[in-house]
Amino acid sequence: MKRLSICFLLLALVVILGCGNQPKSLTIVWAEWEPANYLETLSKDFTTETGIAVDVVQIPWPQFENKIDNSFTGKNDLYDIVIGDSQWLGKNSVGGHYVDLTEWINENIDVDAIYGPAMTAFAEYPKGSSNYWALPAEVDAAGYVYRKDLFEDPNEMAAFQEKYGYALAPPKTYDQLRDIAEFFTRPDDDLFGLATWYSKSYDGITMGFQQVMWSFGASYGDPDTKKVDGYINSEDAVKALEFYKGLLEFAPKDAPNYYWPETAAAYNAGKVAMAMNYFAFFPGVVNPETNPISHDKSGFFIAPEGPKGHYISIGGQGMSISSYSKNMDTAKQYMKWFMQKSVQEKWAELGGFTPLKEVLESDTFKKATPYNETFAASFPYLRDFWAVPEYSKLLVVCQTNWSEAISGIKTPKEALDTIAQKHEEIFAEAEEKKAEAAEK
């Protein structure tokens, strides 16, 4: 009996140890869009190599941030890796929802191999601190698509040259963008020059306008002192907003409601000669099923240069580890695997946008799609919205007031003055709360 009991104990120990060595599963949460599908496909390779199952949970964009916030509030361990917007870094690092990855990244990731703007936007908080809370997952940017069949038509080229005194080509400046938009605006033919972002939904008009604001010489404010007055409501900012509002004259009537789904739909329907969108949505432009009119006649160009600079709105998301995950080591294993050159090359082949400089600058990447080279050319000019814990409050103020300027409820100057005032109030309130917390 004694020998039998020992055998049972040894068998139980083997079972326990065996269960402990079983590969863990990993849950990644992201918004519902094509890059998440690419990641699901890519992750099958990780499962093949490690035996670890990967579940990519997709949440529709309108509910995405709220569902993540709710899971964090409840300290829920549903998600191991969260692929969230760059603006979330401030609130989720300070709020204790993201794991501080600084030491691990410095020991396991070749940061120098990653394009600088991507690490700054998607990984670092506070900016300039070299403290990392994420790795770049999907690097994206605002860009433009245009109708090559219109731009390269000899009659159109001759008429444009005669009217404006220079050759018709993808615009390099905002003045040229305006000229071309005006030229192709023909309401009787149901054709307009431009579709860009004016929507009050989430960050629509903010992402569309901020790159114009920066390129006209204005900014959100001093990132160190958080002083806003005199920056976001400067003369340059007023000129930029007046210019952006003026572009509505060359857009379809429903353009004030446009964000990325609407600009894509307008272009694919043949309503506009040029349209702005995130590069991640350009696969739908070159797909004959979604764009039967100009899928094979579309060209791409980077957001234009302004009179006082050249800046482009960054899009995309970073890959962070939830503080409530029970699989942190497995999550780190996955993130290290994801950043390998060979994996990033396949990520790019599937349609993802890589942050690795060597892959991004390769001919293979640039020739993979009709728009990849334009995407790569956009990288040096990328800039982001405030990535501070108060970003959502700041964003609502921008969305509301810029929309009121576009609709004529306020003048551009009035809207910008209101933003400056309210932003400084938000920052002052945040400092008061910090001081109160420090006293306690």
Side-chain angles (χ1 to χ4, degrees):
M1 286 294 294
K2 186 176 181 181
R3 185 175 297 175
L4 189 61
S5 298
I6 293 173
C7 289
F8 275 119
L9 285 171
L10 289 172
L11 180 61
L13 183 62
V14 169
V15 170
I16 292 170
L17 290 174
C19 290
N21 291 329
Q22 287 298 312
K24 296 178 180 178
S25 62
L26 193 68
T27 301
I28 302 174
V29 63
W30 203 357
E32 187 177 58
W33 64 332
E34 278 303 304
N37 294 330
Y38 306 152
L39 189 69
E40 190 170 1
T41 299
L42 183 73
S43 297
K44 292 177 182 177
D45 291 348
F46 179 78
T47 300
T48 299
E49 293 178 25
T50 65
I52 300 171
V54 179
D55 181 21
V56 179
V57 176
Q58 299 188 40
I59 300 174
W61 278 105
Q63 293 86 46
F64 182 39
E65 185 175 11
N66 285 339
K67 284 204 171 186
I68 299 300
D69 287 347
N70 289 340
S71 74
F72 285 159
T73 300
K75 297 184 178 181
N76 199 306
D77 64 356
L78 274 175
Y79 312 125
D80 301 307
I81 292 176
V82 177
I83 303 182
D85 278 347
S86 56
Q87 297 96 326
W88 298 5
L89 281 177
K91 68 172 185 176
N92 287 334
S93 58
V94 171
H97 306 307
Y98 283 168
V99 173
D100 186 342
L101 297 172
T102 306
E103 184 177 347
W104 178 80
I105 286 176
N106 288 332
E107 292 177 356
N108 292 274
I109 304 297
D110 183 2
V111 175
D112 291 336
I114 300 173
Y115 219 102
M119 285 299 291
T120 299
F122 302 116
E124 187 181 52
Y125 183 80
K127 302 305 179 187
S129 67
S130 295
N131 292 329
Y132 301 127
W133 305 85
L135 283 173
E138 171 75 347
V139 184
D140 203 357
Y144 285 83
V145 60
Y146 71 98
R147 290 273 300 274
K148 291 173 69 176
D149 55 329
L150 295 177
F151 275 63
E152 296 174 4
D153 181 280
N155 294 329
E156 301 286 7
M157 295 172 70
F160 184 89
Q161 176 78 43
E162 182 178 353
K163 183 173 182 178
Y164 296 98
Y166 61 93
L168 176 60
K172 294 183 178 180
T173 68
Y174 277 110
D175 284 342
Q176 292 174 358
L177 180 80
R178 186 206 173 279
D179 287 347
I180 297 169
E182 178 184 55
F183 178 72
F184 281 116
T185 296
R186 302 158 192 180
D188 291 343
D189 299 328
D190 197 26
L191 177 66
F192 297 87
L194 181 67
T196 187
W197 300 332
Y198 290 102
S199 174
K200 193 176 178 180
S201 173
Y202 186 43
D203 60 354
I205 191 170
T206 298
M207 294 297 289
F209 172 64
Q210 66 182 7
Q211 58 190 5
V212 179
M213 177 183 74
W214 293 325
S215 298
F216 271 63
S219 73
Y220 282 110
D222 187 316
D224 297 319
T225 65
K226 300 300 188 293
K227 179 174 174 55
V228 178
D229 189 33
Y231 292 84
I232 203 167
N233 57 341
S234 66
E235 289 185 12
D236 288 330
V238 174
K239 290 178 182 176
L241 189 51
E242 289 173 344
F243 174 86
Y244 198 66
K245 179 180 179 180
L247 293 178
L248 274 172
E249 185 180 348
F250 316 118
K253 289 184 178 180
D254 56 345
N257 300 318
Y258 281 11
Y259 196 14
W260 55 264
E262 291 79 18
T263 56
Y267 182 81
N268 291 349
K271 281 190 171 185
V272 293
M274 301 179 290
M276 183 166 69
N277 217 329
Y278 293 112
F279 281 90
F281 294 111
F282 283 149
V285 167
V286 296
N287 185 342
E289 294 183 6
T290 51
N291 179 13
I293 295 175
S294 58
H295 63 92
D296 59 343
K297 306 178 185 69
S298 293
F300 302 87
F301 62 92
I302 67 173
E305 183 178 359
K308 294 188 176 181
H310 196 182
Y311 299 97
I312 299 172
S313 292
I314 197 169
Q317 295 81 31
M319 186 179 288
S320 300
I321 298 177
S322 168
S323 297
Y324 315 109
S325 167
K326 293 180 179 177
N327 300 311
M328 291 186 188
D329 289 340
T330 307
K332 290 175 181 177
Q333 181 183 355
Y334 180 90
M335 290 170 68
K336 186 174 182 179
W337 171 85
F338 181 75
M339 295 307 297
Q340 293 178 95
K341 180 187 173 185
S342 60
V343 176
Q344 284 295 299
E345 286 175 334
K346 184 163 184 181
W347 175 238
E349 287 175 14
L350 289 168
F353 290 122
T354 177
L356 288 192
K357 286 185 282 189
E358 188 176 354
V359 178
L360 184 71
E361 295 170 353
S362 69
D363 286 339
T364 301
F365 174 79
K366 292 178 180 179
K367 294 176 182 178
T369 74
Y371 44 82
N372 273 14
E373 186 167 5
T374 305
F375 169 76
S378 301
F379 241 89
Y381 309 107
L382 299 183
R383 186 180 276 194
D384 203 3
F385 185 76
W386 290 106
V388 295
E390 303 79 27
Y391 101 91
S392 59
K393 294 181 180 178
L394 301 171
L395 180 61
V396 168
V397 171
C398 287
Q399 286 291 107
T400 300
N401 284 276
W402 282 331
S403 295
E404 290 181 348
I406 293 301
S407 64
I409 295 174
K410 292 179 179 177
T411 67
K413 176 61 175 170
E414 289 170 343
L416 293 166
D417 283 342
T418 302
I419 293 173
Q421 177 189 341
K422 290 188 177 296
H423 276 197
E424 291 201 339
E425 289 174 357
I426 290 168
F427 283 128
E429 182 183 355
E431 285 303 315
E432 288 178 8
K433 288 183 178 180
K434 287 179 185 177
E436 291 173 1
E439 290 178 1
K440 293 179 182 179

